[in-house]
């Protein structure tokens, strides 16, 4: 009877190591999956964090060529806007005294151009005021008149901050009106 007890005891001990091997394999597989998920999450968090800091400011465009001549799929930097102070200018008299009060922002190609625009601020203000003082109210009332004025202001600013460049292709991309009042 003693001989029979030993084989039963050894048979009872054999199955637990088989279960523990399966358990170890399952735990290792689950641990590997969790580590992969954690690594992927950390990668995406770090990548989005660097985008928020402005380290990755280039944006791929998937559009047809725009008015600045950029081609489809070209890389383009994020726009920089520079708000300018309000302009209040007397217009060329048509029916009594009239004036325009104008507030606008300028879209420039980069931060360096924005700094350059601030440096040339007095000259920009002078030239824009001279441009506005030569206009009639009837020229500025229509949508086309406002668009033409925006283009003229853009060209005027480009000629100041980038004198050698073609005015329409300069670093100032667009003039955006925030307030336009004629009285």
């Amino acid at each position: 009877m003693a001989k029979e007890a030993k084989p039963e005891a050894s048979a009872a001990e054999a199955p637990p190591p088989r279960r523990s091997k399966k358990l170890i394999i399952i735990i290792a597989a689950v641990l590997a999956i969790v580590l992969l998920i954690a690594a992927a999450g950390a990668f995406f968090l770090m990548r989005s964090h660097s985008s928020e800091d402005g380290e990755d400011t280039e944006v791929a465009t998937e559009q047809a060529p725009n008015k600045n001549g950029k081609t489809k799929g070209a890389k383009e930097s994020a726009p920089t806007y520079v708000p300018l102070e309000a302009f209040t200018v007397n217009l060329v008299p048509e029916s009594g005294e009239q004036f325009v009060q104008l507030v606008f922002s300028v879209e420039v190609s980069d931060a360096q151009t924005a700094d350059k625009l601030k440096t040339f601020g007095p000259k920009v203000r002078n030239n824009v005021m001279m441009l506005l003082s030569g206009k009639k109210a009837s020229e500025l009332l229509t949508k086309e008149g406002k668009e033409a004025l925006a283009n003229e202001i853009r060209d005027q600013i480009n000629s100041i901050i980038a004198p050698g460049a073609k005015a329409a292709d300069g670093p100032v991309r667009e003039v955006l009106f925030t307030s336009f009042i004629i009285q």
Side-chain angles (χ1 to χ4, degrees):
M1 284 183 104
K3 291 181 182 179
E4 291 179 15
K6 285 184 181 179
E8 290 178 12
S10 65
E13 291 176 12
R18 289 182 187 165
R19 285 187 214 156
S20 66
K21 286 182 182 178
K22 288 181 183 177
L23 184 61
I24 290 174
I25 292 172
I26 292 173
I27 289 174
V30 169
L31 184 60
I33 292 172
V34 168
L35 286 175
L36 285 173
I37 292 172
F43 173 76
F44 287 117
L45 284 175
M46 292 181 78
R47 184 173 175 118
S48 68
H49 180 66
S50 68
S51 294
E52 291 171 0
D53 288 343
E55 295 173 9
D56 188 20
T57 57
E58 291 189 334
V59 179
T61 58
E62 296 293 332
Q63 299 174 352
N66 61 16
K67 65 182 175 185
N68 293 330
K70 300 285 183 184
T71 58
K72 185 175 180 178
K75 294 250 179 185
E76 185 177 295
S77 63
T80 303
Y81 297 99
V82 180
L84 296 177
E85 294 179 24
F87 291 86
T88 304
V89 180
N90 289 328
L91 297 172
V92 174
E94 290 181 302
S95 59
E97 292 292 317
Q98 291 183 308
F99 69 92
V100 62
Q101 184 180 28
L102 188 63
V103 181
F104 60 90
S105 293
V106 178
E107 180 184 344
V108 295
S109 56
D110 55 18
Q112 184 180 11
T113 303
D115 292 339
K116 194 171 185 180
L117 180 62
K118 291 174 185 175
T119 302
F120 286 102
K123 189 169 186 176
V124 168
R125 286 192 61 77
N126 177 65
N127 289 9
V128 170
M129 289 185 73
M130 294 300 223
L131 177 71
L132 290 171
S133 66
K135 298 289 181 182
K136 294 180 181 178
S138 59
E139 296 173 1
L140 303 176
L141 289 174
T142 64
K143 179 182 175 187
E144 292 80 18
K146 289 178 178 75
E147 289 173 350
L149 178 63
N151 290 334
E152 288 177 26
I153 293 172
R154 181 197 65 212
D155 295 345
Q156 188 69 245
I157 295 172
N158 279 334
S159 70
I160 294 169
I161 62 174
K166 192 175 179 182
D169 296 331
V172 174
R173 295 178 179 165
E174 192 171 7
V175 172
L176 306 163
F177 296 120
T178 11
S179 176
F180 199 109
I181 300 171
I182 296 176
Q183 287 188 340

